[in-house]
Amino acid sequence: MIYIDKNPKNKVYKDLIDFAFERCDIFHLVIRKEFGLLNDYELVLKELHPFLKEKKETSKWAGTELDGETAYVYYYSANELSKDKILKFSKSLFGWEQPILPEDLSFYKSENPWLVSIAHEQMAYILTDDPYEMDRLRKIKGLRISFEEDGE
C-alpha cells in the first residue's frame, strides 16, 4: 500500500489524475444523503452523466463503511472525456468533499480499488505492488508518498 501523505494540488493533482486514468477503467464519486439534497450537485452529475455506468445506494464503498446509513455511489467510465470533467471541477484530490462537491473520488483497476480517497479525513492511498506503477508514482514531482513496507 502506498499512502498519499499530502493533499495533491494543482499540477501534482493533474499528474496523479492523468496516471490514474491511464491505469484504471472506472472511478467513483459519493453523495452522502445527510449532507444535502442531490440537487446541490446537479452540475457535476449532469456533466458526468454520459460516463455513468452504475448508481448504487449502499453503506459500503472503497475505503468506507457506514454504520446504519447509506449513500449514493456513482460509478463512471474512466476515459479522456471524463478525466477532463474531473480536472475541471477540482484542483485537488481532497477537494472532492461535501458540501461543495461529491466526495471520495476513487479509482478502480479491473474492478479492484486502486486509488482510494476519503476526503473528509484527508486520507488517500494506492493499492499496488506493480513495480512500474510504484516507479511512476515516485516520479510525479511533488507527490508526497510513503510505502507501507517501509514501516511508515
Side-chain angles (χ1 to χ4, degrees), residues 1 4 10 19 71 84 89-90 95 105 115 130 139 143 148:
M1 184 179 308
I4 297 176
N10 303 313
F19 188 50
D84 291 344
F89 285 110
S90 181
L105 173 64
L115 168 59
D130 181 310
K139 290 179 179 176
L143 182 63
E148 185 175 66

Side-chain angles (χ1 to χ4, degrees), residues 20-139:
F21 272 86
E22 176 186 315
R23 303 307 287 175
C24 300
D25 48 358
I26 294 172
F27 67 93
H28 85 269
L29 292 168
V30 178
I31 295 181
R32 302 271 303 264
K33 295 186 290 186
E34 70 267 23
F35 291 126
L37 302 173
L38 290 178
N39 291 343
D40 295 345
Y41 312 101
E42 188 173 314
L43 179 61
V44 175
L45 297 178
K46 182 178 178 182
E47 289 206 26
L48 287 171
H49 185 75
F51 316 106
L52 183 65
K53 295 179 69 69
E54 183 178 12
K55 174 187 170 186
K56 288 184 183 178
E57 184 174 354
T58 184
S59 61
K60 186 176 180 180
W61 58 92
T64 301
E65 187 167 351
L66 301 177
D67 186 24
E69 301 170 30
T70 60
Y72 297 105
V73 182
Y74 295 78
Y75 295 88
Y76 297 98
S77 296
N79 59 50
E80 285 299 311
L81 295 174
S82 60
K83 178 175 78 173
D84 291 344
K85 303 298 182 189
I86 292 301
L87 292 171
K88 170 185 172 181
F89 285 110
S90 181
K91 301 298 180 207
S92 76
L93 185 59
F94 299 149
W96 292 99
E97 182 178 4
Q98 288 182 257
I100 306 301
L101 292 170
E103 32 184 61
D104 296 352
L105 173 64
S106 296
F107 291 83
Y108 295 79
K109 179 181 172 184
S110 302
E111 299 185 14
N112 296 307
W114 186 79
L115 168 59
V116 176
S117 76
I118 307 160
H120 70 276
E121 292 183 17
Q122 301 279 295
M123 188 168 88
Y125 53 89
I126 296 169
L127 299 165
T128 185
D129 57 5
D130 181 310
Y132 169 77
E133 291 177 352
M134 291 189 292
D135 186 54
R136 281 284 307 273
L137 290 164
R138 284 185 186 102
K139 290 179 179 176

